[in-house]
């Protein structure tokens, strides 16, 4: 049984690591950001409510997020645990979730905190590029296309998404610092916080996480 939370600032590689953890431990990867984006795409009532927050990089109100997560973790595929990515994002969300679990006689096992220096994060995020046509991701420093601005795979235009612009990235960091980083103290207080150095390669960070989660 593994009930795990993945914490870390934007660009820390939570999504990438979450895929690997979910596969290795055979637990569903629950990303509140993915749930919201799917609802926005499908134009559901929830999608219509949350669109404005995602567009501006602001947090969706706690009440709405908590309802979504509560529903999701009660699904049968969560019976052996789950990996939460992007939730909780505020101390009230964390308190809510602890109380929700306690009512069911459950608790979180571990909170993995991927720690990366802000300068590295800024470089990672503002260097991100993507092909407008096929979606292949690039990075201007670590993984540039062979010809600048042209996709290696399909010849499409390689461009920078608007939410990877320096201004929006700065805004997401600010929201993280103000609202999400206090969670590290909250979970340290509960003895659940497990920090991991996120500056290494994807496989390096993955092994460090697995060492913390055990078999
Ligand atoms: P993410 O993909 O995790 O970066 O989330 C994208 C966006 O979804 C965030 O910028 C928020 O607007 C919203 N969001 C995702 N998870 C939460 C959460 N736990 N609390 C509030 N807003 C969230």
């Amino acid at each position: 049984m593994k009930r795990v939370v993945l914490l870390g600032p934007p660009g820390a590689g939570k999504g990438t690591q979450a895929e690997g953890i979910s596969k290795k431990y055979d637990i569903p990867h629950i990303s509140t950001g993915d749930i919201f984006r799917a609802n926005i795409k499908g134009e559901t009532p929830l999608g219509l409510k949350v669109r404005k927050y995602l567009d501006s990089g602001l947090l969706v109100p706690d009440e709405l997020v908590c309802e979504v997560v509560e529903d999701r973790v009660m699904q049968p595929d969560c019976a052996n645990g789950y990996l939460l990515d992007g939730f909780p994002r505020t101390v009230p969300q964390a308190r809510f979730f602890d109380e929700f679990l306690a009512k069911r006689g459950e608790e979180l096992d571990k909170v993995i905190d991927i720690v990366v220096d802000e300068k590295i994060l800024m470089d990672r995020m503002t260097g991100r590029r993507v092909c407008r046509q096929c979606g292949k991701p690039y990075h201007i420093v670590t993984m540039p296309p062979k010809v600048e601005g042209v996709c290696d795979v399909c010849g499409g235009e390689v461009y920078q998404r608007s939410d990877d612009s320096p201004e929006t990235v700065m805004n997401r960091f600010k929201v993280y610092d103000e609202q999400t980083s206090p969670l590290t103290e909250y979970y340290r207080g509960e003895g659940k916080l497990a920090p991991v150095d996120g500056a290494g390669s994807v496989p390096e960070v993955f092994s460090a996480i697995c060492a913390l989660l055990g078999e």
Side-chain angles (χ1 to χ4, degrees), residues 14-178:
K14 292 194 296 293
T16 308
Q17 295 299 337
E19 291 302 328
I21 299 167
S22 162
K23 229 182 246 158
K24 176 171 161 98
Y25 294 98
D26 195 22
I27 49 176
H29 166 204
I30 302 176
S31 154
T32 40
D34 284 351
I35 295 175
F36 292 141
R37 279 184 290 271
N39 276 275
I40 291 172
K41 207 169 170 198
E43 297 183 352
T44 67
L46 175 66
L48 296 176
K49 271 191 226 163
V50 301
R51 165 173 273 151
K52 58 177 184 284
Y53 300 105
L54 274 90
D55 279 350
S56 51
L58 295 175
L59 294 184
V60 171
D62 289 338
E63 216 180 84
L64 218 50
V65 185
C66 291
E67 213 173 285
V68 165
V69 174
E70 193 173 358
D71 277 357
R72 182 64 189 88
V73 301
M74 285 198 292
Q75 301 299 315
D77 65 331
C78 292
N80 288 320
Y82 40 81
L83 175 68
L84 293 171
D85 159 18
F87 177 91
R89 269 241 208 352
T90 64
V91 172
Q93 288 179 16
R95 286 218 178 89
F96 158 86
F97 199 62
D98 273 348
E99 282 162 23
F100 164 79
L101 288 175
K103 271 187 233 150
R104 295 157 54 96
E106 298 172 352
E107 60 174 326
L108 287 171
D109 295 296
K110 266 209 168 56
V111 176
I112 305 283
D113 184 24
I114 307 184
V115 184
V116 193
D117 182 82
E118 198 156 300
K119 165 81 176 68
I120 297 180
L121 293 173
M122 196 69 191
D123 288 347
R124 274 192 199 170
M125 294 190 59
T126 55
R128 264 192 215 171
R129 297 292 184 274
V130 64
C131 172
R132 204 184 279 282
Q133 210 159 285
C134 73
K136 180 175 164 41
Y138 291 95
H139 190 281
I140 49 168
V141 179
T142 56
M143 214 194 344
K146 291 197 186 86
V147 179
E148 197 188 322
V150 181
C151 179
D152 295 348
V153 179
C154 74
E157 184 202 352
V158 173
Y159 83 117
Q160 180 176 45
R161 275 175 21 187
S162 63
D163 58 347
D164 284 340
S165 70
E167 305 84 73
T168 312
V169 169
M170 284 311 286
N171 198 28
R172 290 169 66 192
F173 282 142
K174 190 164 166 268
V175 168
Y176 183 83
D177 282 340
E178 288 173 4

Side-chain angles (χ1 to χ4, degrees), residues 186-208:
Y186 177 87
Y187 285 122
R188 190 175 290 128
E190 287 194 339
K192 295 199 191 307
L193 193 73
V196 165
D197 178 5
S201 67
V202 170
E204 281 166 354
V205 178
F206 185 62
S207 339

